[in-house]
Amino acid sequence: MSPIYPTGFRKWIIVITVVTASLLEMIDTTVVNVSLTQIMGNLGATLEDVAWVITAYAVANVIILPMTGWLSSKFGRKNYFVFSILLFTLASFFCGNAHSIWELVIFRFIQGIGGGALLSTSQSILFETFKPEDRGMATAIFGLGVVLGPTFGPTIGGFITDHYSWPWIFYINLPLGIIAALLSLTFITESVDRRVIDRVDWLGIALLIAGIGALQIVLERGQTEDWFDTTYIVILTIVSVLSLLFFVWRELSIDHPVVDFRIMKDRSFSFGLVFSFILGFGLFASVFVFPIFCQGLLGFTAQQTGELMIPSGLITIVIMPLVGTLLKKRIPPQFMAVVGFAIFYLFTKVLSSSTLASGESDFYWPLLLRGIGMGCLFVPLTAMGLSGLKGKDMAQGVGLNNMIRQLGGSFGVALMTTFIHTRQAVHRNNLLYHINDYDTATQEWLNRITPSFMGRGVPYMQARQMASAALDGTISKQSALMSYMDAFWIIGIFFLCCIPLILFQRHSRNAVVSIEGAH
């Protein structure tokens, strides 16, 4: 039976509904980051405790993502989608109403379970809403909402926290969640291609939760806990490796898998998973490094940093429909992806030349380049990765693809955090090597600064010590700057090295573009 595609008002109401639901999930990925200080003070939490507010959401997301296709088939896509919206909305209320840090962590985990399902299920719904020849544009439209979330999340969070209080970063989800649920109940229909689930693979579910959950915790907490110098990180690493190996073996050996790895026989999809990991790695890493560079070193506020990202998001919104149109006109997606990788390299190359005197105006054009590069990567990589999947395999492929991208982002953040920490120590040691009592430049600097302290009535010896402390602070800042510049450079090289790899990906000129999201 040929699928019947919605048209007119109903079609665009469905688009608005699923984009709104996805936007909720995307915003909550980053909106809480700028409110951690206020949450710590209000709930009496330590920095180590409050970090679990972010970790819990990420762990829940990455656990549920590969299961979304199976859950949609088991309970019905419409039912599962509406339930996920309501779960996310209800958990948001309890997050805002939390009276202790661990109560907040628990409800953030539940919120992540609901939120993780929204993205992948939304993609599957849009796939069946648009005709095959229009799915390039559908991907671009869906991407507009997805890009807005992480772009505006920190800005929204900073504004609400500064002008109201941190619980309202969760309460704003309530009206949008209720509206999205009502629209879903009214306009969204059941999937035309639905797998029949006769048995539940409880062991597979348990292995997936243990393996992916442990891996995500290791990636989120590894740097803070000095990696394998901490016992629980070592234990979780072992649990993750063994659980995931056994999980893959089991899913390939049973007839009713939770995650059907057999779809990886499609060469395009397998290559697509690689590029999804790469995209998550590079984009998450760059979004992670830039804000902490601006706030931690240049003294920007959270709201200033968020506002800096707005032009980047807006240019992506303009570029993505254009790219979708070009793909519809049979422009090779490999060409568009190569352009995107090259532009993203230019973005990191320019940022790697920043100084301690860099201001907001210095980041305007580099961030516009990032927006153009992201727009050129999002839709083509989707086209090459998921275009070969059909029918009931689409939901499985979308969920698995999202999980891989999320893990790529987690690996990117974890590795960049460790890289910056290590490089900062290296640069500091190199700078200190040249600073001693016999170095002429050092003595000239101290002799120039010491009188400024003495002019405030400070005795000579104390003024000398203060000058030495000021020099040490300057060295620390310079070391940090150099480590951030190294991080931008290495991310750029990583993207540049992806260009030869993209040329190995084959893509049929007659293949349709399917739906995929990006964090």
Side-chain angles (χ1 to χ4, degrees):
M1 184 177 69
S2 301
I4 299 175
Y5 298 101
T7 58
F9 175 79
R10 183 184 184 89
K11 173 182 177 180
W12 291 106
I13 281 292
I14 293 174
V15 171
I16 293 171
T17 302
V18 296
V19 168
T20 299
S22 299
L23 187 58
L24 286 174
E25 200 278 332
M26 294 292 94
I27 288 177
D28 273 67
T29 302
T30 56
V31 71
V32 75
N33 294 20
V34 297
S35 304
L36 295 181
T37 302
Q38 289 78 4
I39 293 173
M40 287 169 58
N42 187 251
L43 299 182
T46 65
L47 182 61
E48 295 297 312
D49 293 339
V50 81
W52 284 100
V53 174
I54 297 174
T55 301
Y57 189 85
V59 170
N61 261 207
V62 82
I63 286 174
I64 203 67
L65 280 171
M67 297 173 59
T68 52
W70 180 83
L71 289 168
S72 294
S73 296
K74 177 66 178 175
F75 300 106
R77 187 185 63 188
K78 178 178 178 178
N79 293 336
Y80 180 54
F81 186 62
V82 173
F83 171 78
S84 298
I85 294 174
L86 293 176
L87 180 65
F88 179 88
T89 305
L90 186 63
S92 296
F93 170 78
F94 285 110
C95 283
N97 203 45
H99 295 93
S100 71
I101 187 62
W102 297 114
E103 186 180 344
L104 177 57
V105 169
I106 290 170
F107 286 117
R108 274 287 282 179
F109 183 85
I110 297 173
Q111 188 191 40
I113 292 291
L118 296 181
L119 190 65
S120 294
T121 314
S122 296
Q123 295 160 19
S124 299
I125 292 170
L126 273 184
F127 180 76
E128 292 184 2
T129 301
F130 284 82
K131 296 178 181 179
E133 61 268 22
D134 294 329
R135 286 172 186 157
M137 185 59 67
T139 305
I141 292 172
F142 182 77
L144 302 185
V146 174
V147 168
L148 287 175
T151 300
F152 293 110
T155 307
I156 294 172
F159 178 83
I160 291 175
T161 304
D162 290 343
H163 295 85
Y164 300 96
S165 60
W166 68 265
W168 283 98
I169 65 177
F170 299 111
Y171 291 151
I172 60 171
N173 294 332
L174 303 185
L176 293 175
I178 292 171
I179 292 171
L182 291 174
L183 291 175
S184 299
L185 284 169
T186 305
F187 294 101
I188 290 177
T189 58
E190 192 50 73
S191 174
V192 295
D193 286 302
R194 179 177 170 184
R195 284 198 305 160
V196 178
I197 307 294
D198 297 323
R199 298 173 58 189
V200 178
D201 179 21
W202 293 111
L203 178 58
I205 292 174
L207 289 170
L208 175 63
I209 292 173
I212 294 296
L215 175 60
Q216 186 68 19
I217 291 174
V218 169
L219 294 174
E220 292 276 337
R221 305 293 298 162
Q223 171 60 33
T224 304
E225 302 290 353
D226 292 327
W227 292 105
F228 302 112
D229 289 337
T230 305
T231 302
Y232 89 84
I233 293 294
V234 174
I235 293 174
L236 287 178
T237 302
I238 296 172
V239 168
S240 177
V241 172
L242 295 179
S243 297
L244 290 176
L245 287 175
F246 191 29
F247 173 71
V248 172
W249 172 80
R250 179 171 176 79
E251 298 305 283
L252 290 173
S253 61
I254 62 175
D255 297 327
H256 47 88
V258 176
V259 178
D260 191 359
F261 289 108
R262 296 177 183 89
I263 62 176
M264 293 183 67
K265 292 179 181 179
D266 185 290
R267 183 175 181 271
S268 294
F269 177 69
S270 298
F271 256 94
L273 291 182
V274 174
F275 288 115
S276 186
F277 184 91
I278 290 170
L279 190 62
F281 185 102
L283 295 180
F284 271 70
S286 63
V287 170
F288 167 75
V289 173
F290 180 73
I292 61 172
F293 164 63
C294 290
Q295 295 178 54
L297 201 58
L298 301 184
F300 290 10
T301 65
Q303 189 167 335
Q304 279 180 302
T305 306
E307 289 170 353
L308 273 176
M309 301 295 291
I310 292 176
S312 176
L314 293 178
I315 196 67
T316 302
I317 290 173
V318 173
I319 291 295
M320 290 179 68
L322 296 178
V323 174
T325 302
L326 291 174
L327 291 180
K328 189 175 180 179
K329 293 181 177 179
R330 305 300 184 185
I331 299 296
Q334 292 95 330
F335 172 77
M336 299 304 300
V338 167
V339 171
F341 280 129
I343 292 176
F344 217 92
Y345 165 75
L346 289 177
F347 153 69
T348 58
K349 176 69 174 176
V350 175
L351 281 190
S352 66
S353 302
S354 302
T355 69
L356 292 174
S358 295
E360 295 181 37
S361 60
D362 297 303
F363 301 123
Y364 181 77
W365 290 108
L367 289 174
L368 285 184
L369 285 176
R370 178 189 178 276
I372 296 171
M374 188 172 180
C376 291
L377 286 172
F378 182 84
V379 181
L381 293 183
T382 298
M384 290 186 289
L386 298 180
S387 58
L389 300 183
K390 302 286 190 298
K392 63 181 182 298
D393 291 336
M394 179 55 59
Q396 284 279 325
V398 164
L400 190 58
N401 200 53
N402 283 333
M403 183 199 71
I404 293 297
R405 189 192 58 253
Q406 179 76 20
L407 287 176
S410 297
F411 270 98
V413 171
L415 291 177
M416 281 301 103
T417 302
T418 302
F419 178 81
I420 290 171
H421 179 77
T422 303
R423 291 300 297 170
Q424 190 166 348
V426 170
H427 287 307
R428 180 175 173 81
N429 288 335
N430 289 338
L431 291 174
L432 287 175
Y433 177 79
H434 300 285
I435 296 176
N436 53 69
D437 292 337
Y438 303 102
D439 180 64
T440 303
T442 302
Q443 292 303 314
E444 288 179 353
W445 196 92
L446 292 173
N447 291 336
R448 187 173 67 254
I449 299 299
T450 300
S452 63
F453 291 114
M454 293 177 63
R456 304 174 192 171
V458 178
Y460 173 77
M461 292 305 298
Q462 186 178 350
R464 194 72 172 182
Q465 292 174 355
M466 293 172 70
S468 297
L471 178 60
D472 185 71
T474 300
I475 292 171
S476 295
K477 276 191 171 184
Q478 193 64 35
S479 301
L481 173 67
M482 295 168 72
S483 65
Y484 285 121
M485 297 308 99
D486 289 346
F488 288 129
W489 180 82
I490 204 71
I491 293 171
I493 294 298
F494 175 76
F495 268 85
L496 203 59
C497 291
C498 292
I499 292 178
L501 184 63
I502 201 78
L503 300 178
F504 286 99
Q505 169 70 313
R506 290 183 303 206
H507 177 74
S508 172
R509 296 179 66 88
N510 297 317
V512 297
V513 181
S514 46
I515 304 300
E516 217 268 296
H519 268 61

